[in-house]
């Protein structure tokens, strides 16, 4: 649990005796750092010190409370101002509260005690705000691309660049890639690096919501608009106001709702189901799909006008089988996290287990790799994972070894094997030579003879 920060308090009171009384009361808490001023101007001159709380006498020799409050709030909108007056005037109190005062206290024998309670309540709010800021910083660090999306392959380095570019603007981002490649993770990385990081990140899996409920889910509904609508409900577009709305599996949306979505994006306002009021929203949109949206348009399953509206900045995620040694880097990270979370001794992959992972096709991509190595950590007899501990699916294509070609020469088949290993290991000739136990000069000659190529 974090230690509360000191609370800075300004007491603005022209009556020296009364000011000392308030200071004496509040000083009983050693975490309160108190400064006292007898004029409004003295307080205003010191606002650069950014106090957390100001107690403000309504009648000062150089300014009325409402005027001073307005000047304070213009410069420090977040500061909590407690107005204190010698007269119990309801209209004055209401006016100050509307201007942004936190509370209004009348001077009497109980004022110091009420002030103590009010400052205590403000302190609790400050601590919650501090904790909220800390949690947001942690979330931002969690989704920092180079922490959340591990890899050293050229594909991942290019992805980091695109995430940075996307985070600088509010351009719509369309993310495509096979299932399990981390599309939502990329969307979160963009959101938490953007200037919308303090807003909500609202994710909707279009494929997981029944078609007859998806419109209400996205746009909201009014009470009584359909059977079961017992109260008004705001939709995900409104929830994402000032933040980001992420629509996963956008290709699964039916054509009728696609037309409504297009109108919403053009008008930047939604109408709840069963309602006539148009509600403006300010949300950044990101979409994802495992399908080829361009092909979906050609086959009539996706609107062309919506396709171009959503295209924005396209980001294509490479399947894990094309990322070479990123497989081992990710496997190691997943193992460390899993063992730490389960109070287990850290597991490592044997050389043979590493080769088995590198030669596997991973149809489920990163999601499958995570599940495989976590289960392997449980199945392993000791702290080193062996090939038999890896529960890989039978029949998945080998990522490194091509099929036998009975009608081709040995030289041609050798070239195919070397080419496959080069593709898997991102053209690293030294690494491929070591894995195949052949001389690097052999590979260089094959490149010169155009038998293989570095892609």
């Amino acid at each position: 649990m974090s230690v509360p920060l000191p609370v800075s308090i300004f007491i603005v009171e022209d009556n020296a005796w009364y000011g000392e009384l308030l200071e004496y009361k509040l000083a009983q808490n050693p975490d309160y750092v108190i400064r006292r001023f007898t004029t409004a101007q003295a307080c205003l001159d010191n606002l650069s010190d950014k106090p957390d709380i100001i107690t403000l006498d309504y009648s000062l020799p150089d300014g009325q409370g409402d005027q001073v409050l307005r000047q304070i709030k213009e410069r420090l909108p977040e500061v909590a101002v407690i107005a204190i007056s010698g007269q119990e005037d309801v209209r004055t109190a209401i006016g100050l509260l509307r201007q942004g005062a936190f509370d209004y206290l009348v001077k009497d024998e109980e004022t110091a005690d009420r002030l103590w309670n009010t400052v205590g309540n403000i302190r609790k709010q400050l601590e919650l705000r501090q904790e909220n800021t800390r949690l947001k910083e942690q979330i931002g660090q969690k989704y920092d691309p180079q922490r959340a999306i591990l890899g050293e392959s050229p594909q991942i380095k290019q992805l980091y660049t695109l995430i940075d570019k996307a985070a600088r603007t509010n351009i719509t981002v369309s993310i495509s890639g096979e299932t399990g490649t981390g599309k939502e993770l990329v969307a979160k990385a963009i959101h938490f690096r953007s200037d919308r990081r303090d807003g909500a990140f609202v994710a909707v899996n279009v494929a997981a919501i029944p078609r007859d409920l998806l419109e209400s889910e996205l746009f909201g509904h009014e009470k009584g608009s359909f059977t079961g609508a017992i109260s008004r409900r705001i939709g995900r577009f409104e929830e994402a106001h000032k933040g980001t709305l992420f629509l996963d599996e956008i290709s699964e949306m039916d054509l009728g709702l696609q037309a409504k979505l297009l109108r919403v994006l053009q008008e930047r306002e939604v109408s709840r189901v069963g309602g006539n009021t148009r509600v403006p929203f300010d949300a950044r949109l990101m979409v994802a799909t495992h399908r080829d949206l361009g092909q979906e348009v050609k086959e009539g399953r996706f609107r062309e006008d919506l396709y171009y509206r959503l295209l924005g900045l396209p980001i294509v995620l490479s399947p894990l089988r094309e990322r070479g040694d990123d497989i081992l880097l990710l496997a190691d990270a997943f193992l460390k996290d899993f063992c730490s979370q389960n109070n287990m001794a850290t597991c490592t992959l044997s050389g043979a287990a590493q080769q088995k992972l590198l030669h596997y096709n991973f149809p489920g991509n990163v999601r499958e790799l995570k599940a495989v190595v976590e289960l392997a950590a449980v199945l392993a007899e000791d702290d080193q994972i062996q090939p038999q501990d890896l529960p890989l699916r039978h029949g998945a294509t080998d990522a490194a070894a091509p099929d036998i070609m009975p009608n081709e020469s040995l030289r041609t088949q050798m070239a195919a094997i070397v080419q496959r290993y080069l593709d898997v290991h991102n053209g690293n000739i030294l690494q491929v030579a070591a894995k195949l136990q052949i001389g690097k000069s052999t590979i260089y000659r094959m490149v010169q003879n155009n038998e293989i190529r570095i892609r």
Side-chain angles (χ1 to χ4, degrees):
M1 186 173 180
S2 59
V3 177
L5 294 175
V7 178
S8 173
I9 303 174
F10 283 7
I11 294 176
V12 187
E13 171 61 61
D14 65 323
N15 183 314
W17 176 85
Y18 201 78
E20 289 177 1
L21 173 66
L22 299 180
E23 182 176 3
Y24 173 79
K25 180 67 177 180
L26 294 178
Q28 294 178 37
N29 190 319
D31 292 331
Y32 295 166
V33 180
I34 302 167
R35 295 175 64 186
R36 193 153 51 86
F37 304 96
T38 57
T39 65
Q41 191 59 50
C43 171
L44 295 172
D45 288 344
N46 286 274
L47 287 182
S48 59
D49 292 338
K50 296 183 179 180
D52 299 303
I53 301 171
I54 297 176
T55 73
L56 178 64
D57 182 16
Y58 184 76
S59 298
L60 292 166
D62 58 344
Q64 286 292 99
D66 55 344
Q67 300 170 350
V68 181
L69 175 62
R70 184 170 57 252
Q71 294 179 70
I72 291 172
K73 283 293 184 177
E74 285 175 354
R75 293 172 57 182
L76 293 178
E78 297 298 320
V79 70
V81 179
I82 304 169
I84 301 177
S85 175
Q87 297 184 359
E88 188 171 354
D89 187 333
V90 175
R91 288 177 299 178
T92 299
I94 292 174
L96 290 171
L97 293 173
R98 284 177 174 172
Q99 276 186 251
F102 184 88
D103 203 353
Y104 180 88
L105 304 180
V106 178
K107 288 183 179 179
D108 58 26
E109 64 275 9
E110 296 179 356
T111 304
D113 290 332
R114 290 201 299 272
L115 177 61
W116 174 267
N117 293 332
T118 301
V119 170
N121 291 333
I122 294 172
R123 182 187 185 181
K124 290 178 182 177
Q125 292 188 12
L126 291 172
E127 289 174 352
L128 287 173
R129 191 186 305 167
Q130 173 191 345
E131 180 67 9
N132 188 41
T133 300
R134 185 182 67 82
L135 290 173
K136 285 182 177 179
E137 289 175 352
Q138 286 184 347
I139 292 172
Q141 292 172 358
K142 177 181 178 182
Y143 290 108
D144 178 82
Q146 297 192 20
R147 292 189 182 190
I149 306 169
L150 298 178
E152 297 178 354
S153 62
Q155 298 96 318
I156 294 301
K157 291 179 180 178
Q158 175 65 16
L159 178 60
Y160 293 157
T161 300
L162 291 175
I163 288 174
D164 283 339
K165 290 180 181 296
R168 295 187 198 126
T169 69
N170 287 319
I171 189 172
T172 299
V173 178
S174 56
I175 308 168
S176 60
E178 294 180 7
T179 299
T181 49
K183 295 183 285 293
E184 184 169 342
L185 195 60
V186 171
K188 286 180 177 178
I190 294 171
H191 169 77
F192 286 107
R193 285 180 71 84
S194 74
D195 58 6
R196 292 178 176 266
R197 66 180 69 89
D198 291 333
F201 178 87
V202 179
V204 180
N205 187 332
V206 173
I209 302 172
R211 294 187 176 187
D212 54 344
L213 296 180
L214 185 56
E215 182 177 0
S216 170
E217 184 74 16
L218 293 177
F219 309 137
H221 63 253
E222 298 291 348
K223 180 180 179 180
S225 56
F226 54 84
T227 302
I230 58 176
S231 62
R232 169 187 282 181
R233 182 187 184 283
I234 67 169
R236 297 306 185 96
F237 273 90
E238 290 180 74
E239 285 182 26
H241 186 64
K242 298 297 182 182
T244 299
L245 178 63
F246 174 63
L247 299 181
D248 198 6
E249 298 300 351
I250 187 69
S251 61
E252 305 303 313
M253 183 178 290
D254 68 59
L255 289 168
L257 192 53
Q258 287 178 29
K260 294 180 180 180
L261 175 61
L262 178 64
R263 184 195 63 78
V264 165
L265 296 178
Q266 289 173 337
E267 303 297 328
R268 306 300 295 178
E269 58 186 19
V270 298
S271 294
R272 301 188 190 104
V273 176
N276 297 317
T277 304
R278 293 185 174 183
V279 182
F281 68 90
D282 175 17
R284 197 243 186 97
L285 185 66
M286 288 191 263
V287 300
T289 177
H290 72 281
R291 301 185 188 277
D292 182 341
L293 273 190
Q295 188 62 34
E296 294 293 298
V297 170
K298 290 179 182 178
E299 296 179 6
R301 291 190 293 267
F302 203 84
R303 293 179 62 103
E304 185 175 17
D305 46 6
L306 180 60
Y307 168 72
Y308 287 113
R309 189 82 185 183
L310 296 177
L311 187 59
L313 173 64
I315 296 179
V316 180
L317 302 185
S318 300
L320 184 57
R321 61 183 172 274
E322 295 179 2
R323 290 173 52 187
D325 283 351
D326 281 358
I327 293 172
L328 301 182
L329 190 152
L330 286 164
D332 183 60
F334 292 149
L335 280 173
K336 286 180 180 177
D337 285 346
F338 182 78
C339 293
S340 174
Q341 291 168 11
N342 290 277
N343 298 315
M344 298 169 57
T346 302
C347 290
T348 58
L349 292 160
S350 68
Q354 292 180 9
Q355 289 303 310
K356 187 173 181 179
L357 289 179
L358 287 172
H359 294 171
Y360 181 64
N361 201 35
F362 283 104
N365 290 292
V366 179
R367 187 180 296 137
E368 183 181 9
L369 173 62
K370 185 174 187 292
V372 163
V373 298
E374 288 181 353
L375 180 53
V378 175
L379 297 176
E381 293 296 330
D382 51 35
D383 59 2
Q384 188 170 67
I385 293 172
Q386 302 300 329
Q388 62 270 22
D389 300 322
L390 295 168
L392 302 179
R393 283 190 270 178
H394 295 296
T397 304
D398 190 310
D403 295 333
I404 296 296
M405 300 174 288
N407 296 323
E408 298 292 342
S409 67
L410 177 61
R411 184 74 182 179
T412 300
Q413 296 201 48
M414 180 180 176
I417 293 172
V418 174
Q419 183 67 67
R420 183 68 63 91
Y421 269 79
L422 283 170
D423 292 344
V424 168
H425 297 290
N426 304 310
N428 189 323
I429 291 176
L430 294 178
Q431 195 171 37
V432 170
K435 288 183 180 296
L436 293 178
Q437 297 182 6
I438 61 176
K440 62 181 183 295
S441 59
T442 300
I443 299 178
Y444 285 126
R445 278 197 302 271
M446 295 174 78
V447 172
Q448 290 176 343
N449 295 332
N450 293 320
E451 295 174 87
I452 59 173
R453 59 194 180 93
I454 307 297
R455 293 190 173 100

